[in-house]
Amino acid sequence: MADLVSVPALVRDDARQRLIDEALAERAAEAERVKQMHREFLARKLSEAEQRRLARDPDAKDEEEEEEDDDDEDVEEEDEELERMHQRVIEKLKVLGARNREAEKRILDYDPKQGGLYHTRIYDVYDLASFDYEEESPLPPMRFTNVVYKSAKDFELCEAVNILSVKIASLDIDFPIHVYGTVIARDSLDKKCVYLFRRDRQNFQTINSEEESLILTGPKRGLALISSTYVETNLIIKGDQNHEDRELSKGLLEIAGMERRVLKTCELESCSLATRLSTVDVKYGVVKDAVEATISIKILAGEFFGKITACSNTIKESLVLHDSRLAHITSGEKLAPVVVPLLRSVVAVYVKDKLLLSITAHTEDGEINTEDGEITRDIDPKVNGSAQYEISVGTTTMLVEVVWSIIDF
């Protein structure tokens, strides 16, 4: 497992902290007003119900008094025990509520682009105070590859998300910028960190324009879309001798879960987050009845310098699996029999679709090699198992292995 990225804590200015404190105080006061209104409403309703009951049966009160005289001791004991239980529940909820409110302060920030106070991280969890925001998801890919299914009734497919690109769509300062930090996803399976982008300060990425994407290296497994999936950004601009490091993007994006959508086919969607010095655009595919494809590639003969991407028939937008220029490989290197280094290896595919694997050989200046230098292979999805394909591109022979699994808890 790679070392966690250490992102320096940038100090909030006094003005922003004052606005946060004022907004929190107003929120607490409003919550107390709502609670008081609720208590008064319940008391009024109980009183009205008692009055209606007595109006229907004027003798009910006398009869009840006679019955209560017979069972006073039992009733009093039961009432006392119920009251003790009630008080214990109230105290537990008070403690939990206080802990959660204190924990929530740590994920609240102030930004005029967000209209004031906003959450920078996921908050839809039961016990916010004990939730570990930095814990990485332990779930690996290929969890159900070796499971044998006797029929389609033995498994259930869920929807999934492919994060296709993350771009700095607009910037309040001039390009180029040197970016480090994290972009993570959290899905329904465990709500823990699944890294999409993770770089420390010494391993920054230079971005020259809004057309360039962050170089994504995740997710490491398929992202389920059951309830909402979240994308959290914590991106920093590396400073130089004249400028300190500055926050580029810090916040939370939500991809609506299946309880809030009707999905008839796979969909290409996007969402934006405007915070700090930028607007970040995230483009993603929502995949119906998804299976997880984990891809690995070896060079059997020849050499390879180029690009390998994956997409499907229903969503043509490609994920970059390998780019020799980003992997610092030159066209003169003999890769055989070394495994081709992949930026990303996991793709979610609609089970009735096709996985389209495109391999393009480039020259050193980035041009497509015209001599049989481009090929696309159609691969049928499966719910389990694996398959190998020998593919020739120009003078290079590759062995592509695709391992299939459902996406489940």
Side-chain angles (χ1 to χ4, degrees):
M1 183 183 297
D3 294 334
L4 293 177
V5 172
S6 177
V7 178
L10 302 185
V11 179
R12 295 175 177 173
D13 57 71
D14 292 340
R16 191 200 304 175
Q17 187 61 52
R18 186 171 62 254
L19 290 168
I20 293 172
D21 293 341
E22 290 173 357
L24 285 171
E26 176 57 31
R27 178 182 289 188
E30 179 63 24
E32 187 56 40
R33 287 194 292 270
V34 171
K35 288 180 182 177
Q36 182 60 33
M37 290 170 61
H38 184 62
R39 286 192 290 266
E40 292 172 357
F41 174 79
L42 286 177
R44 187 169 64 251
K45 288 297 181 184
L46 287 172
S47 176
E48 291 173 356
E50 179 67 13
Q51 290 173 9
R52 285 196 299 270
R53 188 176 67 82
L54 292 175
R56 286 196 302 270
D57 187 1
D59 298 327
K61 187 173 183 181
D62 294 336
E63 292 174 2
E64 285 180 3
E65 288 176 354
E66 291 176 6
E67 293 174 1
E68 286 172 1
D69 289 340
D70 297 333
D71 300 318
D72 270 350
E73 290 185 6
D74 292 341
V75 171
E76 286 178 8
E77 288 179 3
E78 290 177 2
D79 286 348
E80 289 173 0
E81 179 60 26
L82 287 173
E83 181 61 24
R84 285 193 293 271
M85 291 174 61
H86 182 61
Q87 289 301 322
R88 286 197 294 269
V89 171
I90 290 176
E91 289 303 317
K92 185 176 181 180
L93 290 174
K94 282 182 179 179
V95 171
L96 181 61
R99 290 173 65 236
N100 280 347
R101 284 192 296 275
E102 188 62 32
E104 188 182 17
K105 290 180 183 179
R106 295 194 289 270
I107 61 169
L108 284 171
D109 211 330
Y110 186 90
D111 195 317
K113 290 183 178 180
Q114 285 289 307
L117 199 67
Y118 76 108
H119 290 93
T120 61
R121 311 199 76 172
I122 185 176
Y123 53 92
D124 183 22
V125 295
Y126 170 69
D127 187 356
L128 201 62
S130 63
F131 185 75
D132 185 352
Y133 278 98
E134 309 308 324
E135 184 179 358
E136 188 170 358
S137 174
L139 299 177
M142 304 175 284
R143 295 188 301 283
F144 303 96
T145 295
N146 297 320
V147 178
V148 177
Y149 305 112
K150 294 181 180 179
S151 72
K153 295 180 180 179
D154 292 343
F155 62 88
E156 185 175 355
L157 299 178
C158 69
E159 279 59 51
V161 175
N162 282 325
I163 305 296
L164 301 170
S165 65
V166 179
K167 292 184 176 182
I168 311 302
S170 67
L171 188 64
D172 296 349
I173 59 176
D174 293 331
F175 287 103
I177 53 174
H178 305 310
V179 178
Y180 69 98
T182 60
V183 179
I184 66 172
R186 300 184 190 273
D187 68 2
S188 311
L189 299 187
D190 58 12
K191 292 189 177 180
K192 296 176 182 178
C193 298
V194 180
Y195 284 93
L196 306 173
F197 176 90
R198 178 165 54 170
R199 288 179 178 242
D200 60 28
R201 194 174 187 277
Q202 303 307 314
N203 186 33
F204 60 84
Q205 178 185 344
T206 300
I207 299 179
N208 295 293
S209 74
E210 63 274 5
E211 298 301 319
E212 295 184 18
S213 298
L214 294 180
I215 299 171
L216 302 182
T217 55
K220 68 177 183 181
R221 61 167 175 82
L223 296 173
L225 185 65
I226 303 171
S227 59
S228 293
T229 293
Y230 297 89
V231 177
E232 295 177 8
T233 66
N234 185 17
L235 299 173
I236 314 293
I237 299 174
K238 182 182 178 182
D240 52 28
Q241 60 269 28
N242 298 318
H243 299 93
E244 295 182 348
D245 291 7
R246 289 177 285 180
E247 290 181 321
L248 174 66
S249 178
K250 187 177 181 65
L252 179 70
L253 285 165
E254 180 180 5
I255 299 173
M258 296 310 301
E259 74 278 5
R260 292 163 52 191
R261 64 165 79 225
V262 176
L263 191 66
K264 296 182 178 180
T265 185
C266 301
E267 300 285 351
L268 179 64
E269 300 178 357
S270 64
C271 53
S272 298
L273 175 67
T275 62
R276 303 302 188 262
L277 296 174
S278 68
T279 297
V280 170
D281 282 355
V282 177
K283 186 180 290 186
Y284 57 92
V286 179
V287 183
K288 182 178 186 291
D289 295 337
V291 289
E292 174 195 83
T294 303
I295 302 165
S296 61
I297 303 173
K298 292 181 180 179
I299 302 296
L300 299 180
E303 59 186 40
F304 180 73
F305 181 81
K307 194 172 186 179
I308 304 172
T309 62
C311 66
S312 67
N313 278 327
T314 51
I315 298 180
K316 296 294 187 181
E317 193 87 9
S318 294
L319 291 82
V320 178
L321 306 182
H322 170 85
D323 189 329
S324 298
R325 291 166 295 183
L326 300 177
H328 307 294
I329 296 171
T330 66
S331 62
E333 288 189 56
K334 299 285 185 179
L335 288 181
V338 177
V339 172
V340 175
L342 300 182
L343 295 166
R344 310 168 75 181
S345 60
V346 174
V347 185
V349 187
Y350 175 32
V351 71
K352 295 181 180 180
D353 201 350
K354 297 275 190 183
L355 172 63
L356 306 181
L357 191 67
S358 298
I359 303 172
T360 306
H362 289 168
T363 61
E364 287 190 16
D365 57 6
E367 297 296 325
I368 296 176
N369 191 331
T370 56
E371 295 183 9
D372 301 321
E374 189 171 17
I375 189 171
T376 297
R377 179 67 181 262
D378 296 3
I379 299 173
D380 292 321
K382 301 178 182 180
V383 296
N384 56 7
S386 63
Q388 293 183 335
Y389 308 90
E390 193 170 299
I391 300 174
S392 294
V393 184
T395 59
T396 305
T397 302
M398 297 180 172
L399 182 67
V400 176
E401 182 176 32
V402 183
V403 181
W404 297 98
S405 171
I406 65 171
I407 301 171
D408 205 343
F409 292 93

